[in-house]
Amino acid sequence: MDCLFCKIIEGVIPSAKVYEDDKILAFKDINPQAPVHVLVIPKKHIASLDGIDSTNIDYVNHIFAKVPEIAASLGLGGGYRLISNCGDDACQSVKHLHFHILGGKKLAEAMA
Ligand code: AMP
Ligand code: ZN
């Protein structure tokens, strides 16, 4: 499968890892849109939020269980935003489920 984030998981494409375990990987976004911009992905190919089902929900649960710990490790005590773009209207560019953690400054109030 020609998936950029699956290749990052496999180590074929390098990434700046900030957290990893058996189910998820977090790494720095290559084009940061805030002082802290990290992507959290499941180590299983799920195309988007629309691809979540009973066979892969464990991976998604684990992402949510770990986000507070990852955010704390990034120094985001002042707060942060968690975003997942799903589909064309949301401008999803990589078709492997990912959650953006954005922070490190006062973010814009507008989200869209
Ligand atoms: P989205 O537009 O929500 O699909 O987000 C995809 C994100 O992946 C963008 O913020 C890109 O900057 C980021 N990205 C693309 N290629 C890489 C890469 N090789 N390493 C890290 N982040 C990447
Ligand atoms: Zn993938």
Side-chain angles (χ1 to χ4, degrees):
M1 189 187 305
D2 193 24
C3 171
L4 175 65
F5 287 175
C6 282
K7 287 178 182 161
I8 284 179
I9 292 164
E10 290 162 12
V12 177
I13 292 175
S15 67
K17 293 178 190 176
V18 301
Y19 178 81
E20 181 171 23
D21 64 28
D22 60 324
K23 281 197 171 67
I24 68 172
L25 175 65
F27 55 96
K28 292 182 182 174
D29 196 292
I30 205 166
N31 182 27
Q33 296 187 37
V36 176
H37 188 171
V38 163
L39 302 173
V40 189
I41 66 174
K43 284 188 170 178
K44 175 173 183 149
H45 184 83
I46 303 170
S48 73
L49 291 172
D50 280 343
I52 298 172
D53 60 26
S54 59
T55 70
N56 56 37
I57 190 67
D58 287 357
Y59 288 82
V60 183
N61 285 340
H62 194 63
I63 286 174
F64 279 91
K66 287 291 176 184
V67 159
E69 183 184 313
I70 295 168
S73 76
L74 295 168
L76 298 176
Y80 57 93
R81 188 167 283 159
L82 187 68
I83 294 173
S84 186
N85 294 319
C86 178
D88 289 345
D89 279 1
C91 301
Q92 181 185 1
S93 62
V94 179
K95 309 303 188 203
H96 181 125
L97 179 65
H98 52 282
F99 293 86
H100 299 255
I101 297 176
L102 293 157
K105 69 169 187 180
K106 181 85 171 175
L107 299 170
E109 201 170 331
M111 285 190 286

